[in-house]
Amino acid sequence: MSTNHPSSSPTPDKSSQMLDAAVRSADHAIDGTRHLANSSLDHLAQRLDTARTSAGHALDGLATDASRIAESSGNAIRAQATEWRHQADQARQGAQAAIRHAPLKSVMLAAATGAAVMLVSQWLGRGRTR
């Protein structure tokens, strides 16, 4: 008894159509994924460019600040050196005036200072050899 009932399996034309539909669906999914990936990468590239620009501006600001600090420090060192030179000149002039007014006293002070330095250096030298 053979009856012609429609078979539950698809016909070759229907299988081909289903396969084409699946391929199209896969192509759409791939295209959508590609578009999303490209969009995400573009967004990431924009953010990186923004970060690079911001970092560049920050580094420029730091370099400017460092330059200002270096210049300020140099000015302060020059001013301090000038002040020390001035003080040394005043001390030299004061010492010259004292020597002119009391030469004997100056010689005695110099001799006493030299003797004290010698005693201290000998005392320190002995402490190291023991």
Side-chain angles (χ1 to χ4, degrees), residues 56-67:
H57 291 312
L59 289 175
D60 288 345
L62 288 174
T64 300
D65 290 347
S67 177

Side-chain angles (χ1 to χ4, degrees), residues 22-124:
V23 168
R24 278 192 307 274
S25 177
D27 283 342
H28 287 301
I30 290 170
D31 286 342
T33 303
R34 183 181 300 127
H35 176 73
L36 181 61
N38 286 339
S39 176
S40 295
L41 288 173
D42 288 344
H43 181 69
L44 180 60
Q46 287 173 347
R47 291 185 66 189
L48 286 173
D49 284 342
T50 301
R52 186 180 307 122
T53 301
S54 296
H57 291 312
L59 289 175
D60 288 345
L62 288 174
T64 300
D65 290 347
S67 177
R68 270 192 237 128
I69 290 169
E71 184 179 348
S72 175
S73 297
N75 291 339
I77 289 170
R78 280 188 287 280
Q80 186 63 51
T82 300
E83 177 64 25
W84 287 342
R85 262 190 239 108
H86 178 69
Q87 288 175 356
D89 284 342
Q90 285 180 333
R92 183 179 47 80
Q93 290 171 0
Q96 288 173 347
I99 290 170
R100 279 191 205 107
H101 287 56
L104 184 59
K105 182 179 176 183
S106 297
V107 170
M108 296 301 280
L109 278 172
T113 303
V117 168
M118 286 295 290
L119 285 173
V120 170
S121 66
Q122 285 179 355
W123 180 71
L124 289 175

